[in-house]
Amino acid sequence: KYVHSKFLAEDMRRLGEPAWKVIVDLSVSDDERVRDLAGSVMGQWFPLSEEKIPEIVAALRREPGGWPARALMRIPSEEATKALIDDVARIGGGNQSSFALGARLPEAFPLVFERMEEVDSIKLASGLSEVLSRPAEPENLARRQDIVKWLMAAASNQGKAPAYRRQATGFLLDMG
């Protein structure tokens, strides 16, 4: 279904910033199909910079859990990670945002836990639990081991609040 968006993104990138602005405008369209395709193209766009984050976030707010999350996934910044966390907290998992956030673990855990302390987010916890409970693919075993190490350290950190340690323990249990 979305194979064509890769080729469309390649063609549009040749047109530069004006083409990006068209994709941004289409990503907040009233037509759901137009938004979906524009978000898919946005997710295939590169290079992406931090300056584009507000436009991508606007598209993600219009299409929660949608393809714009893939664009945020490729911007290595705290602001992009926070936008993914907020989207998963808003709508839960099983979507592009939870996939993209999962790709940022274990590095994103401090921001995730900080957000969980700010709001009681069952959707954020369940969205991450869904990502963590997936079976590990052979190529992801080292990353999964890093996630386990981080969570074990967080669960046993006596300097953190009990709720923080319980959440880390819960995520460890989700991983099986």
Side-chain angles (χ1 to χ4, degrees), residues 20-141:
W20 171 256
K21 293 298 182 194
V22 169
I23 292 302
V24 168
D25 289 345
L26 293 174
S27 72
V28 294
S29 166
D30 288 335
D31 186 324
E32 183 179 340
R33 293 171 301 175
V34 170
R35 278 195 319 269
D36 193 45
L37 179 58
S40 181
V41 170
M42 190 178 270
Q44 300 284 339
W45 199 274
F46 65 88
L48 290 169
S49 62
E50 288 189 50
E51 293 79 35
K52 290 186 172 20
I53 291 174
E55 297 165 325
I56 299 167
V57 168
L60 193 59
R61 283 195 182 120
R62 191 78 167 100
E63 194 75 26
W67 292 106
R70 293 288 183 120
L72 289 172
M73 182 173 77
R74 292 196 329 277
I75 302 174
S77 76
E78 186 173 303
E79 185 182 358
T81 301
K82 285 181 176 181
L84 290 168
I85 291 168
D86 287 345
D87 198 52
V88 174
R90 191 171 32 258
I91 63 161
N95 54 54
Q96 297 301 319
S97 292
S98 62
F99 174 85
L101 182 56
R104 296 239 167 146
L105 299 176
E107 296 80 13
F109 271 129
L111 293 173
V112 168
F113 278 59
E114 179 183 298
R115 179 72 171 127
M116 291 177 124
E117 289 175 358
E118 293 170 5
V119 296
D120 180 23
S121 180
I122 293 171
K123 288 182 179 178
L124 178 56
S126 67
L128 273 179
S129 294
E130 179 263 329
V131 169
L132 294 173
S133 65
R134 290 185 201 139
E137 301 294 327
E139 63 271 9
N140 293 330
L141 287 178

Side-chain angles (χ1 to χ4, degrees), residues 128-173:
L128 273 179
S129 294
E130 179 263 329
V131 169
L132 294 173
S133 65
R134 290 185 201 139
E137 301 294 327
E139 63 271 9
N140 293 330
L141 287 178
R143 189 170 141 275
R144 190 168 178 89
Q145 289 171 341
D146 290 342
I147 291 171
V148 168
K149 287 177 191 173
W150 194 96
L151 288 171
M152 288 179 71
S156 61
N157 185 342
Q158 296 299 313
K160 293 291 185 178
Y164 182 98
R165 295 193 314 267
R166 275 193 304 275
Q167 190 64 60
T169 302
F171 285 144
L172 277 168
L173 293 172

